[in-house]
Amino acid sequence: MKTLIIGYVWPEPNSSAAGSRMMQLIKTFRAQNWEVEFASPAQTTEHMEDLSQFGVSSANIELNHDSFNDYIAAYNPDMVVFDRFMMEEQFGWRVEKYAPNALRVLNTEDLHSLRDARHTAVKQGRPFVQSDMHSDLGVREIASIYRSDLTLMISEYEAELLKREFSVPETHIMHLPFMLDTQSLTAKPFADRKDFVIIGNFRHAPNWDAVLQLKQVYWPKIRKQLPDAKLNIYGAYPPPKATQLHNEKEGFLVKGWAENAFDVIENARIMLSPIRFGAGIKGKLVEAMQVGTPSITSSVGAESMHGSMPWNGIVTDDVEEFVNASVSLYQDQQSFELMQQNGHAIIKQRYDKDDWMNKLVSRLNIQQQLKERLRENFFLGKLVRHHSMKSTQYMSQWITLKNQQAKTETK
């Protein structure tokens, strides 16, 4: 299957869970000997993956520019994967017009409108309610899902939410968590580890909020009981407001970019992740399970990650319980080793790479075969494509003409 991926950003697997997820998709496609090209309007970065090592070609594309029309028509893909709904919103109408036979797949990473709605509720100091998602962002994202032939959802909770609350058909959704190697799990001994860790891209609002919560609420209480312990804070793209929180005396150490996330997580005894809002499933917590590092997190943090299986640590939204669990598990080798086993069991049961790769390839092949029938039968999808795609198309064409006029006037 000749595949074009239109990326919101270039993949950075060492910077974010989204980057890791994208590389898992790419490796799955290449394992089938599918031809893959990755195109993005984003700027290249120093941490981006070298896609050529995986036999993947790359292309730079422009927003609101007719050059994409010729590009997509010439490439003539069998499948287009939009990485995040903003890329479907921007390029979807052009794909439909100039490569109408291509299967259109939306990779959400997480449900952006859910994360944004939960963030709004936290800022307003109240519980999240479903109507919080009835925002402009929510309308745009759900419309993008309706327009797509298949949407990949990393979270079971979010897949069910789309079906239950937004009437997205089962035929247009696939739950697809991280696809991980279950043969390379490690469990560094309790005695060879020390201190606490949190890791996450600082550009991701839930991560930055969690760091602030640790600084202001949790860490002072934990440090009071464990005066020699340190909290090592890692993450890509730390802004000055983050590095200014660094305090040696408090044991609150902002270290920024980690060359190898697994190494820094594996050397810690406990991962702390008091996430108050967010969506999807959390890459940092999955990585902690892979290297046998127990984690203390919130209900949002653990959402859709372990099913009915016991967590590899403690899940709580209560501050005192979070603090007491952190201190207790840090000092209790027997409980620590049990949590290591729990984490490995979750990875093996729920994230096996071979199992999910086979399911994904099978589903994409079926979706390709049934594409025209499903498009014809899903009237709501046709309706949304007709109206929203036209508005998106005309806005894009207006911006294109405006940009062309500006260039003419400056000559």
Side-chain angles (χ1 to χ4, degrees):
M1 199 182 297
K2 191 176 183 182
T3 302
L4 173 66
I5 301 172
I6 301 179
Y8 180 66
V9 294
W10 296 94
E12 293 186 19
N14 290 330
S15 298
S16 69
S20 298
R21 159 73 155 197
M22 177 49 65
M23 291 310 301
Q24 290 165 16
L25 293 178
I26 287 173
K27 290 174 183 177
T28 299
F29 300 156
R30 289 297 297 134
Q32 312 308 309
N33 289 319
W34 294 354
E35 179 182 330
V36 179
E37 178 150 299
F38 192 98
S40 178
Q43 296 291 319
T44 57
T45 67
E46 61 177 317
H47 301 310
M48 62 184 280
E49 187 71 83
D50 180 4
L51 296 176
S52 64
Q53 292 184 353
F54 303 92
V56 175
S57 54
S58 301
N60 293 103
I61 52 179
E62 292 187 62
L63 299 172
N64 301 306
H65 201 283
D66 288 343
S67 59
F68 182 83
N69 303 344
D70 295 331
Y71 165 75
I72 189 72
Y75 191 72
N76 192 28
D78 299 306
M79 177 172 70
V80 175
V81 178
F82 300 100
D83 182 37
R84 300 176 176 86
F85 83 90
M86 296 82 82
M87 293 297 94
E88 188 281 333
E89 203 172 50
Q90 175 65 224
F91 294 101
W93 70 270
R94 295 182 187 271
V95 171
E96 183 171 4
K97 187 172 183 179
Y98 294 97
N101 294 322
L103 182 72
R104 297 186 291 272
V105 178
L106 175 60
N107 177 48
T108 57
E109 301 296 355
D110 60 19
L111 208 52
H112 292 65
S113 51
L114 174 62
R115 170 162 34 94
D116 182 70
R118 285 173 166 169
H119 192 182
T120 298
V122 165
K123 286 187 289 188
Q124 294 178 359
R126 59 171 178 80
F128 162 77
V129 292
Q130 196 59 59
S131 59
D132 288 333
M133 289 184 67
H134 300 175
S135 60
D136 179 64
L137 184 66
V139 170
R140 288 170 54 202
E141 186 167 35
I142 301 304
S144 178
I145 290 168
Y146 279 159
R147 289 191 297 263
S148 301
D149 294 316
L150 181 67
T151 297
L152 304 178
M153 299 303 304
I154 204 165
S155 160
E156 279 177 304
Y157 170 81
E158 291 167 23
E160 293 303 316
L161 178 71
L162 290 174
K163 289 183 279 188
R164 183 182 70 248
E165 300 292 338
F166 297 100
S167 303
V168 179
E170 183 86 45
T171 52
H172 286 64
I173 293 180
M174 180 183 181
H175 167 233
L176 182 72
F178 291 127
M179 298 177 279
L180 306 175
D181 180 5
T182 60
Q183 305 303 313
S184 59
L185 305 179
T186 60
K188 194 171 183 177
F190 177 88
D192 294 344
R193 298 164 174 261
K194 65 176 183 177
D195 299 329
F196 295 83
V197 70
I198 180 173
I199 188 167
N201 192 318
F202 281 96
R203 290 178 177 174
H204 193 54
N207 293 338
W208 168 236
D209 180 76
V211 170
L212 286 178
Q213 287 296 302
L214 285 166
K215 176 72 172 182
Q216 298 166 2
V217 179
Y218 294 93
W219 185 244
K221 295 175 180 291
I222 294 171
R223 190 82 191 295
K224 187 175 182 180
Q225 297 185 58
L226 298 172
D228 294 328
K230 298 180 176 61
L231 173 59
N232 297 304
I233 299 137
Y234 292 92
Y237 306 107
K241 64 181 180 180
T243 55
Q244 287 168 7
L245 298 180
H246 182 93
N247 189 310
E248 296 276 351
K249 187 177 179 181
E250 296 174 358
F252 196 88
L253 311 179
V254 181
K255 298 191 173 181
W257 168 262
E259 192 67 36
N260 188 311
F262 286 107
D263 285 348
V264 299
I265 297 172
E266 187 174 36
N267 285 319
R269 191 169 288 177
I270 306 290
M271 172 173 282
L272 301 179
S273 192
I275 298 172
R276 295 196 297 169
F277 61 92
I281 57 178
K282 314 304 179 290
K284 64 180 76 60
L285 298 178
V286 168
E287 291 170 348
M289 293 180 197
Q290 288 177 280
V291 297
T293 302
S295 59
I296 317 294
T297 191
S298 62
S299 56
V300 171
E303 184 178 84
S304 284
M305 292 192 61
H306 62 117
S308 60
M309 303 179 72
W311 187 249
N312 70 319
I314 301 296
V315 178
T316 179
D317 296 315
D318 181 80
V319 173
E320 295 305 321
E321 188 177 356
F322 189 104
V323 169
N324 291 335
S326 302
V327 173
S328 174
L329 191 54
Y330 188 82
Q331 301 175 102
D332 186 345
Q333 181 172 347
Q334 188 174 359
S335 295
F336 174 93
E337 290 170 353
L338 174 62
M339 298 309 173
Q340 281 189 323
Q341 294 170 23
N342 288 351
H344 284 178
I346 292 170
I347 296 294
K348 291 175 181 177
Q349 181 72 27
R350 296 179 59 86
Y351 299 95
D352 182 75
K353 176 181 66 175
D354 295 334
D355 182 33
W356 285 109
M357 285 175 66
N358 290 335
K359 288 180 179 177
L360 174 59
V361 172
S362 176
R363 182 64 184 273
L364 291 174
N365 284 325
I366 291 171
Q367 214 76 13
Q368 181 71 280
Q369 294 166 16
L370 300 179
K371 175 183 62 199
E372 297 305 327
R373 189 190 308 174
L374 290 173
R375 287 177 182 175
E376 188 61 33
N377 290 343
F378 185 31
F379 182 78
L380 188 56
K382 293 176 69 174
L383 184 150
V384 173
R385 283 206 311 277
H386 174 76
H387 288 285
S388 60
M389 291 302 280
K390 288 299 181 186
S391 63
T392 305
Q393 175 183 342
Y394 294 147
M395 174 61 77
S396 180
Q397 289 175 331
W398 178 78
I399 294 172
T400 300
L401 289 172
K402 189 177 180 182
N403 290 342
Q404 290 173 348
Q405 183 179 359
K407 288 182 180 179
T408 302
E409 291 173 352
T410 55
K411 287 182 179 179

